Structures are given as structure tokens and as C-alpha cells.
Amino acid sequence: MKTGIVLDQRYMNHDPGARHPERPERIGVLLDGALERANVTHVEPRPASGDDITLVHGEGHFEQVARTQGLPHFAFDADTPVSSRSFETACLAAGGVLALLDAVMAGTVRNGFAAVRPPGHHAERDRAMGFCLFNNVAIGAAHLRARHGLERVLIVDWDVHHGNGTQHVFARDPGALYVSLHRYPFYPGTGALDEIGSGDGAGFTVNLPFPGGFGDAEYAEAFATVIEPIALAYAPEFVLISAGFDPHRRDPLGGMEVSEAGFAAMARTLIGVAERVAGGRCVAVLEGGYDLRATRDSARAVLDQLCGEPQPTPPPSPPSHARPILDAVRRLQGAFWKF
Ligand code: ZN
């Protein structure tokens, strides 16, 4: 069975303005064949409806974004300006994820990659922020729960920024396990170690706050010693990846040292989890990533893993410095998970 991709020129129609890092060319660099493979098939995106978006967002937020359609200039905050076609593009981003999830659930594709924008993981229930209008991954997880009857969805977010929106949507909900590796302290300020979820959701939020400068070795150690054991114990029925490529060593905003091979290794681990416990159901969704070449090459590396290509050898990297942080995560999460 083939790997599905969602990639469409219409994702360039959201224009936050010249000099904004989250620019249409982020999709443009993927449209020139970078993601074409013999064993990849395109899945046609559809616009998410109000009913889809309000699985996660308040009615008022949906309507507020909808009202920007046709306006030449509007900004939700200093980071989050929109253009006349941003609303329709955001609907197509969330809907592209839903179309891909439906294709995986129907068994028409094995797994997939959704190269969508605007990104989503900062979008809160009632607020656009941090370049994000609607929370594509959270809407996807809620869709899998509400419409496909799944009980456990794993979301792993390796974007360099903490996915505050996704965490908050599912903070009290054990039906979605949210795991984030991110630089901390950093934008948006959330994602401390002791944010572990609350009520029935306690233990179903796992934050790995990293200092700047961590690279392949630290991320690999985190996946091997914290994320994979928790993921296998949770036994998700679907694995979603918030795949931001701003931890890449060339990214202008992130300050991390991850290589393309490092992203491939993270993807390989999660695909392995999906193959062991979730029937192989795994979808990666583009979040951030602001160096065009790094984003293109990293997206390609992740897609190759979804297609079952051999894992590339990572470039030499210094030994991991993650041990103290990972020990602290294990101590705290040891109340909920065995390591
Ligand atoms: Zn980011």
C-alpha cells in the first residue's frame, strides 16, 4: 500500500506578509517534485467545515477567522497577520489532514504526510496565535475520536516550540496523549516539565523541555528512553506527528542542532510504534520550519521513512547531554508510566 501525501498549491494562498517567516514559499519548495515517489500517492484535500473546526474550537473563534475572508489586512496578534484568503486556506489545511486521516482509516493509503499551512499547534480553542489559525493536528485527533470511534490517539510534537494549543485542548482527556519536545524557556512560554495534564488527563501530557543547542543525540536518547516506552504502553490506535522542522540546525528561529537524519530517526521510531500497536496508522503534519532548504530536505527524509526507505546515517554529533532532563521526566512521569 502506498503512502499518502497532501500537497496543494492552494496552501500558498495564506500570505502573512513580506518578511514573515511562515511564508508561502514553504509549500512552494515542496511543489517542485521534492516529495514525488513511486510509492507515494496524492490525497486530495477538502476544506474543513464549521462542524469539523468546532470539534476543537469555539464557534466564536471559527466565526472570527471566517470574518477575515476577503479582508486585505487583519492581524490576530503581532505574529499572526492574515490575508484575504487565509480563512479558506486554514480550512483547507485542517481539511487536508482530515482527508488524509480518512484515507488511512479506509485503508486506501498506509500512512501519510500532510504538507499544509498555516500551521496549527499554537491555536487555542478560542484564539489564533503564533502563526496558527486552526489547530490542524488537534482537529485531526478529535475527528479520529468522534467520527472513527478511536479511543487512544498519540500526538508527538517535535516542533521546536511547545504546542500550547494542542496541550490545552486535550489536557483533561486521556483519549489523546500529547508528547512534546521543545526548547524551553522559549515561545510560547508553556511546556514546563510539571505540566502533565489534569483530572482524568493527568499523565497524558508529557513535556520534554530542552535548552537550546540540543541535536540528534539528545533527541534520539529522548525517543529511546522516554517517548517510545510511554507510547508503547499507551498503545495508541493512531499516531499523529506535529512535524515542525524548526529544530533543524539551519533554522533561523529554533537554535537547535537536529539534522535531516535526526528527523528520519524520530519518524522511524514513531512509525515503528504505529506498526507494532496501531496497524501502521501514522500521519505527520507539517508545523513550523523556516529555512526553506532544511524544511524541504527534512520533509523528504520523513516521507522516505513513511515509505519504508532505509534509515540514513546521521552525521557525527557530540554525545547526548539530555540525561539530567530525561531523568527528571522519568521521575515525574514514573507515577503514570513504567520505564
Ligand atoms: Zn515552531
Side-chain angles (χ1 to χ4, degrees), residues 235-308:
E237 298 158 283
F238 208 112
V239 177
L240 293 173
I241 305 172
S242 263
F245 297 117
D246 42 13
H248 193 282
R249 52 180 59 174
R250 278 203 311 275
D251 190 86
L253 305 185
M256 291 298 195
E257 293 291 333
V258 177
S259 71
E260 292 96 74
F263 289 112
M266 292 189 261
R268 184 65 251 164
T269 301
L270 296 175
I271 294 161
V273 168
E275 283 167 354
R276 284 170 69 177
V277 300
R281 291 185 291 267
C282 180
V283 162
V285 178
L286 182 63
E287 298 280 2
Y290 305 102
D291 179 277
L292 295 178
R293 189 159 58 95
T295 295
R296 181 197 62 195
D297 294 349
S298 303
R300 187 152 47 190
V302 167
L303 184 69
D304 281 343
Q305 293 307 303
L306 289 163
C307 292

Side-chain angles (χ1 to χ4, degrees), residues 57 61 122-129 133 135 164-165 168-169:
H57 294 285
H61 175 63
H122 295 308
E124 296 274 0
R125 181 180 186 279
D126 294 305
R127 185 181 168 202
M129 62 177 274
L133 303 180
N135 196 318
N164 56 291
H168 292 152
V169 166

Side-chain angles (χ1 to χ4, degrees), residues 61-120:
H61 175 63
F62 174 73
E63 281 162 14
Q64 197 189 14
V65 180
R67 279 196 296 272
T68 69
Q69 180 75 14
L71 298 182
H73 303 292
F74 183 80
F76 287 96
D77 63 26
D79 293 327
T80 319
V82 293
S83 59
S84 63
R85 303 187 70 181
S86 295
F87 166 69
E88 65 179 64
T89 311
C91 289
L92 199 67
V97 173
L98 299 185
L100 186 52
L101 299 181
D102 289 344
V104 172
M105 290 307 297
T108 52
V109 297
R110 180 166 65 141
N111 53 24
F113 187 92
V116 300
R117 66 179 286 280

Side-chain angles (χ1 to χ4, degrees), residues 42 44 55 88 94 116 148 165-166 192 201 244 250:
H42 282 259
E44 180 68 17
L55 285 171
E88 65 179 64
V116 300
H148 289 284
T166 313
R250 278 203 311 275

